[in-house]
Amino acid sequence: MIFDILTIFPELLDSPLNESILRRAREQGQIRIETTDIRDFALDKHSSTDDRPFGGGEGMVMKADVLQGAVNHAREQNGPGRVILLSPQGRAYTQAVAEELSQQEHLILVCGRYEGVDERFRATCVDEELSIGDYILTGGELAAMIIVDSVTRLLPGVLGCADSAERDTFSRGLLKHPQYTRPRVFEGQDIPEVLLSGNHARIDEFRFLASVRQTLERRPELLAGVSFSAAEVKVLKQHGLHGQIMALQSESA
Ligand code: 9D3
């Protein structure tokens, strides 16, 4: 998979792309990441990448002609690709979108800065606009890193079995249960007794209930999309949790 990242601050991307799993995926050739400095495609003697908005007002707008030059360069280098603009106006990025993007061969990620990009660039060159959440960043670069990180770990062979993608928080829509390691007692707090029992059926049930309780407390809206087996429903009923969950699931239906 090829990620082309178009930015006016290519150095901002260096350290996240050169450590840990992303570094290994690059070294093993599972991903290729190329950064393009948008400024290299500026057309005037000052190398401008932005200009004042028609109609007046605060802030600067990234120039459509310059951005188009950078996108065309990425296409010439690496072939056609899906052009994604990172912006606060985008569709919400989720694990489902990550899974969809992981099926593509070439993503061209365009990082905005300033107040935004010229609407005609969006209309003619952009396939999809994505936001990573409802908070304000200084630009799209860190959002692009989040997309590279979350898509890369879904590619076949990138994760070892120890960190397999299916066992994660979002794979079944519940938050992960709390975990413990040595020392057994920390700050006067012992670990739950059941974890020392060696009874794996009891441990699985304890962890399942801890996941459900944690999700109810912190992210109840996630429970709307979770389905439970008959055996799980029985456990939820035994612990008085079934009613609450049914209420959350029917709210959204
Ligand atoms: C004053 C209006 N702001 C729009 C909500 C202006 C503005 C704020 C921040 C324009 C650009 C930015 C920079 N942010 C991004 O480029 C960005 C972003 C974000 O701020 N939040 C969540 N996802 C993303 S993806 C790109």
Side-chain angles (χ1 to χ4, degrees):
M1 174 142 188
I2 304 172
F3 297 94
D4 258 301
I5 306 173
L6 281 41
T7 168
I8 56 169
F9 295 118
E11 322 77 53
L12 199 61
L13 311 172
D14 287 344
S15 79
L17 298 176
N18 284 306
E19 296 295 343
S20 182
I21 292 171
L22 292 184
R23 183 200 193 113
R24 196 182 60 201
R26 296 178 77 178
E27 287 171 355
Q28 295 178 345
Q30 288 149 329
I31 58 170
R32 219 167 85 209
I33 301 173
E34 297 193 359
T35 57
T36 295
D37 189 341
I38 293 169
R39 198 169 297 281
D40 293 345
F41 301 87
L43 298 158
D44 61 353
K45 65 177 180 190
H46 303 293
S47 291
S48 313
T49 56
D50 62 322
D51 203 342
R52 301 186 332 262
F54 278 115
E58 291 291 293
M60 301 290 270
V61 178
M62 293 185 83
K63 291 164 65 63
D65 46 2
V66 176
L67 289 168
Q68 181 185 51
V71 167
N72 286 344
H73 169 79
R75 289 207 181 102
E76 283 157 20
Q77 293 294 300
N78 293 318
R82 181 133 146 211
V83 178
I84 296 175
L85 175 65
L86 288 318
S87 104
Q89 283 76 45
R91 166 163 90 107
Y93 187 65
T94 61
Q95 189 64 21
V97 179
E99 277 161 25
E100 192 189 313
L101 296 185
S102 71
Q103 306 299 312
Q104 305 277 317
E105 278 171 35
H106 181 200
L107 298 179
I108 300 173
L109 303 173
V110 184
C111 307
R113 281 269 156 177
Y114 316 112
E115 289 307 296
V117 309
D118 189 304
E119 179 60 25
R120 295 158 303 172
F121 169 72
R122 188 195 322 262
T124 58
C125 298
V126 172
D127 295 310
E128 173 148 44
E129 198 171 345
L130 293 174
S131 160
I132 60 161
D134 294 338
Y135 36 79
I136 302 178
L137 303 173
T138 56
E141 285 77 7
L142 295 178
M145 289 299 88
I146 282 168
I147 291 181
V148 170
D149 189 275
S150 52
V151 169
T152 298
R153 65 180 290 290
L154 293 174
L155 300 175
V158 167
L159 294 187
C161 6
D163 186 17
S164 112
E166 295 90 74
R167 293 200 323 173
D168 277 315
T169 286
F170 292 108
S171 62
R172 78 165 293 193
L174 292 173
L175 299 185
K176 187 156 182 103
H177 53 78
Q179 301 194 92
Y180 306 86
T181 187
R182 290 188 292 176
R184 176 160 167 196
V185 179
F186 174 71
E187 298 280 328
Q189 300 169 80
D190 202 350
I191 63 168
E193 193 70 44
V194 58
L195 299 178
L196 299 167
S197 70
N199 181 335
H200 289 286
R202 273 188 67 215
I203 292 173
D204 286 349
E205 180 177 313
F206 172 83
R207 286 180 169 162
F208 168 69
L209 284 166
S211 279
V212 170
R213 290 203 175 98
Q214 180 126 285
T215 310
L216 269 171
E217 186 158 316
R218 300 184 183 183
R219 300 289 307 279
E221 77 283 6
L222 294 179
L223 285 160
V226 182
S227 44
F228 295 99
S229 70
E232 288 170 341
V233 168
K234 196 174 146 199
V235 172
L236 293 173
K237 282 180 176 160
Q238 280 166 359
H239 290 83
L241 294 167
H242 191 249
Q244 263 180 90
I245 290 168
M246 286 303 100
L248 286 164
Q249 299 203 325
S250 52
E251 258 171 47
S252 69

